[in-house]
Amino acid sequence: GRDLTWLADLWLRHPNRRKVRSIAMRPDRPWPIYEENGAQHVNTYKPKIFPPGGDATVGLQFLENLLPIPAERRYFMQWLAHKIQHPEVRGVGIIMVAHQTFGTGRGSLIQLLRLMLPDNTVRNIDFDMLSGRNYQSQYNDWRVDSLIVAVDEAQETAQNVSRWQTRNNAYERLKEVVDPSTTDITVIRKGAQNGPGKTYASVVVMTNHMDSVVLPVNDRRFAIFENGAAQTDDYWTAFHAWKSDPANVGAFVREVLKTDIIGFKPYAPPPMTAAKADMVDAGSSELDRLFAEVMT
């Protein structure tokens, strides 16, 4: 007297069951289902909704301490506001430099970005992975699963080439990954079939060394910003308590979105800041320096 019904079978035979071809993060498409090339697909990108209220004051002060130069702070806020409004646009890469200084808050910025953007769309990777210098670099699924890819510290690793050549090789790889005009890539996942995909990942790199990346004078892919001074333990205690409230994070997002982005061009070369000029100079090879002396 007992009838056994397999719910999975009923689901498979249900006339209203949706058939989807793939699952992907597509901030340029509707959520949760979008149509493309005559098929339906599941969109893992879901816009984040914040509770009302909150206070953005601590977050704004945090940005002012982290980026004390007004012009650099304004550009970053335009970059961030544009990314929130147009997550499908990659924009130029950001490198923040706190030369031989620790405790300025770059790691806290990444934590804050993770709270500001949809879940699991801000990802940390190491510099060797980004610059293609270890065996895991062949797997690039992080480029299609993230809106922002963050590197905690850009640093060189020992190789059988000169120090300058190591950093120059890193730049050649970085400019391919960061180039905002690139969206269609071949996705290589570990233990899975390779295939085409789209990348929307913007890159943010933190470093304590001015010469960690060799930048040519005519670089158009990176904005280089100088970080401020280290802060006290009490400051960080108050900051982390502030960001633990989603209402505060939401208030901060709303303040960022008030930034005027009229005229901001995410694909245009970023400004030549003093920090970028210093990084270009610090990355010069001995031959470059000798040639400059001779020409002088």
Side-chain angles (χ1 to χ4, degrees):
R2 179 178 296 177
D3 292 328
L4 184 62
T5 301
W6 293 101
L7 298 182
D9 289 340
L10 294 179
W11 175 75
L12 286 171
R13 290 184 277 120
H14 199 287
N16 295 330
R17 181 175 65 88
R18 289 199 178 199
K19 297 180 180 180
V20 297
R21 179 172 296 175
S22 69
I23 299 176
M25 187 191 73
R26 292 293 300 272
D28 59 330
R29 297 292 185 177
W31 178 86
I33 302 291
Y34 66 94
E35 293 188 6
E36 189 173 70
N37 299 326
Q40 292 190 325
H41 309 263
V42 175
N43 190 357
T44 62
Y45 175 82
K46 182 181 180 181
K48 197 160 190 174
I49 300 176
F50 295 96
D55 186 351
T57 304
V58 173
L60 294 174
Q61 184 62 52
F62 165 73
L63 270 190
E64 187 173 338
N65 294 335
L66 180 66
L67 298 169
I69 300 175
E72 295 181 5
R73 184 168 65 253
R74 175 173 174 76
Y75 184 92
F76 178 73
M77 289 189 70
Q78 288 180 316
W79 180 90
L80 183 56
H82 195 278
K83 186 65 180 179
I84 296 172
Q85 295 180 52
H86 305 280
E88 73 280 3
V89 178
R90 301 185 64 198
V92 299
I94 302 291
I95 297 180
M96 293 194 180
V97 184
H99 188 58
Q100 297 181 351
T101 302
F102 300 88
T104 60
R106 282 95 49 83
S108 296
L109 173 64
I110 301 306
Q111 295 176 20
L112 181 56
L113 292 176
R114 188 172 284 113
L115 297 173
M116 295 170 62
L117 294 170
D119 295 342
N120 303 316
T121 58
V122 177
R123 178 169 176 177
N124 284 74
I125 64 174
D126 59 45
F127 190 62
D128 284 352
M129 176 73 77
L130 182 66
S131 59
R133 294 196 299 211
N134 64 24
Y135 73 98
Q136 295 285 356
S137 301
Q138 61 180 309
Y139 306 116
N140 62 354
D141 50 307
W142 49 270
R143 296 183 65 183
V144 296
D145 295 336
S146 310
L147 290 180
I148 291 182
V149 174
V151 175
D152 288 330
E153 173 58 33
Q155 56 187 356
E156 61 189 74
T157 56
Q159 293 188 2
N160 296 324
V161 293
S162 71
R163 182 171 180 267
W164 180 88
Q165 188 64 56
T166 298
R167 292 174 292 140
N168 186 66
N169 292 344
Y171 172 77
E172 292 301 318
R173 161 70 174 177
L174 285 175
K175 72 179 185 181
E176 295 178 5
V177 174
V178 172
D179 193 339
S181 63
T182 301
T183 55
D184 295 287
I185 64 172
T186 298
V187 184
I188 303 175
R189 297 182 184 272
K190 192 172 184 178
Q193 185 176 1
N194 302 337
K198 292 184 178 294
T199 177
Y200 305 101
S202 301
V203 176
V204 179
V205 178
M206 314 302 186
T207 182
N208 291 103
H209 306 284
M210 189 62 74
D211 63 347
S212 59
V213 179
V214 169
L215 290 182
V217 176
N218 61 348
D219 169 75
R220 56 184 176 84
R221 297 175 177 86
F222 288 96
I224 315 299
F225 300 141
E226 179 181 343
N227 292 132
Q231 303 297 321
T232 65
D233 291 342
D234 290 341
Y235 172 89
W236 292 121
T237 299
F239 172 77
H240 292 303
W242 169 85
K243 74 177 178 60
S244 66
D245 186 345
N248 289 336
V249 177
F252 179 71
V253 170
R254 291 189 288 273
E255 286 297 319
V256 171
L257 290 177
K258 292 179 182 178
T259 305
D260 183 7
I261 61 172
I262 296 177
F264 177 76
K265 299 178 180 179
Y267 297 113
M272 174 58 80
T273 61
K276 186 167 188 175
D278 289 343
M279 182 168 284
V280 170
D281 181 67
S284 300
S285 68
E286 292 302 320
L287 182 60
D288 292 332
R289 297 177 187 277
L290 180 59
F291 180 78
E293 288 185 24
V294 170
M295 293 306 295
T296 300

